[in-house]
Amino acid sequence: MTAIPASVTYADYLRLPALLGAQAPLSDLHDEMLFIVIHQTKELWLKQMLHEVALATRLVGQDRYAEAYKALSRVSRIQAVMTMSWDVLSTLTPVDYSEFRHVLGTSSGFQSAQFRELEFRLGMKDAKFLDYHEGGDEGGVRLRAALAEPSLWDEANAALARAGFAIGTADDIHASWLAVYRESGKYFELYQLAEKLVDIDDGLAGWRHKHVLTVTRIIGGKKGTGGSAGAAYLESTLTKRAFPELWSLRTDL
């Protein structure tokens, strides 16, 4: 059992001096603080989502579905909070942002190693993004591990195979999940797992859509920082799905 110091305080436990000292605006403009806080908060929520997805992936691999549902539901709740946070950022007007945008230099949300790791851990693996990550050696190690290790989608399909379904090709996976939906009472645990995954994909799509709207509202069609294409790139991601067969099967039900 871990020893708990009798004198530990709220600030000690949460390491508030370090946490609240991590906001260091590079300009003297009022609105830069909001930009920093929003993005730091998103990185904290990404850390928690990775924590939950890791647990859910492990539990699905052990056929412990009910426990996995709890972790996946928590991810969905976090996604809702993250999506709503774009409304706070949108209080930053184009004029406000243009006054301090230059201090961002080449930094860009496109470089977030945690966001890319989350995509990898869900099942959207694309090795080309290893070239764009931020986070130094640790970020690179985590991304390479996420690329190599089974994703949540991999484990969901492995569970499907353990139940006697074929998963050899994308068509097999589509047909097998379709069979689960057609006999949802018989395969209720797998059916519920699939719906939890769709909840997360739905939340991610909503987050992407709100991101595009917010960026367009603030910078229009300008290039993003760090050389990214800005809203044009973000719009190209709107159709990405972590669990595509769970969407395509709906047409055939």
Side-chain angles (χ1 to χ4, degrees), residues 207-233:
W207 186 89
R208 293 186 198 276
H209 176 68
K210 190 62 177 177
H211 191 182
V212 171
L213 288 178
T214 304
V215 169
T216 304
R217 177 171 177 163
I218 296 174
I219 67 169
K222 295 186 184 75
K223 293 284 187 180
T225 54
S228 70
Y233 165 74

Side-chain angles (χ1 to χ4, degrees), residues 37 86 108 137:
V37 169
W86 289 123
S108 169
D137 292 340

Side-chain angles (χ1 to χ4, degrees), residues 19-242:
L19 180 65
L20 298 179
Q23 296 75 48
L26 298 179
S27 75
D28 59 359
L29 296 168
H30 175 83
D31 292 299
E32 189 186 353
M33 179 64 80
L34 172 64
F35 191 84
I36 293 171
V37 169
I38 287 286
H39 287 83
Q40 287 185 341
T41 303
K42 287 185 186 299
E43 289 295 328
L44 286 172
W45 281 128
L46 284 167
K47 183 175 183 177
Q48 186 64 37
M49 283 199 288
L50 286 167
H51 189 59
E52 301 298 339
V53 168
L55 175 62
T57 301
R58 185 164 64 251
L59 291 171
V60 171
Q62 298 168 358
D63 295 327
R64 295 163 62 185
Y65 300 110
E67 294 165 271
Y69 300 156
K70 178 182 177 181
L72 295 174
S73 293
R74 184 173 290 169
V75 170
S76 293
R77 295 294 183 91
I78 293 170
Q79 287 179 299
V81 172
M82 288 183 67
T83 298
M84 286 190 293
S85 73
W86 289 123
D87 288 336
V88 181
L89 188 62
S90 69
T91 65
L92 189 68
T93 69
V95 173
D96 297 333
Y97 181 56
S98 65
E99 290 182 334
F100 69 82
R101 190 186 189 205
H102 66 283
V103 305
L104 303 181
T106 59
S107 67
S108 169
F110 184 79
Q111 300 162 342
S112 172
Q114 285 201 121
F115 181 77
R116 203 61 65 191
E117 183 183 354
L118 180 64
E119 286 193 327
F120 286 5
R121 293 292 181 186
L122 291 176
M124 292 176 283
K125 297 183 178 183
D126 189 338
K128 75 181 181 186
F129 288 113
L130 292 174
D131 297 330
Y132 302 108
H133 80 272
E134 182 76 356
D137 292 340
E138 181 182 353
V141 169
R142 289 181 63 95
L143 284 177
R144 286 190 289 274
L147 195 62
E149 294 167 2
S151 68
L152 178 58
W153 186 225
D154 291 331
E155 289 293 1
N157 287 321
L160 198 61
R162 289 193 296 275
F165 292 96
I167 62 168
T169 67
D171 285 342
D172 289 336
I173 293 170
H174 172 99
S176 294
W177 281 113
L178 178 60
V180 166
Y181 272 70
R182 283 176 170 163
E183 295 188 77
S184 59
K186 180 178 179 179
Y187 301 108
F188 188 72
E189 289 183 320
L190 286 171
Y191 170 66
Q192 278 291 93
L193 173 61
E195 284 298 287
K196 293 294 184 185
L197 297 183
V198 171
D199 285 343
I200 290 174
D201 234 353
D202 189 309
L204 189 54
W207 186 89
R208 293 186 198 276
H209 176 68
K210 190 62 177 177
H211 191 182
V212 171
L213 288 178
T214 304
V215 169
T216 304
R217 177 171 177 163
I218 296 174
I219 67 169
K222 295 186 184 75
K223 293 284 187 180
T225 54
S228 70
Y233 165 74
L234 297 175
E235 287 173 355
S236 74
T237 70
L238 292 178
T239 58
K240 290 180 72 172
R241 298 291 181 268

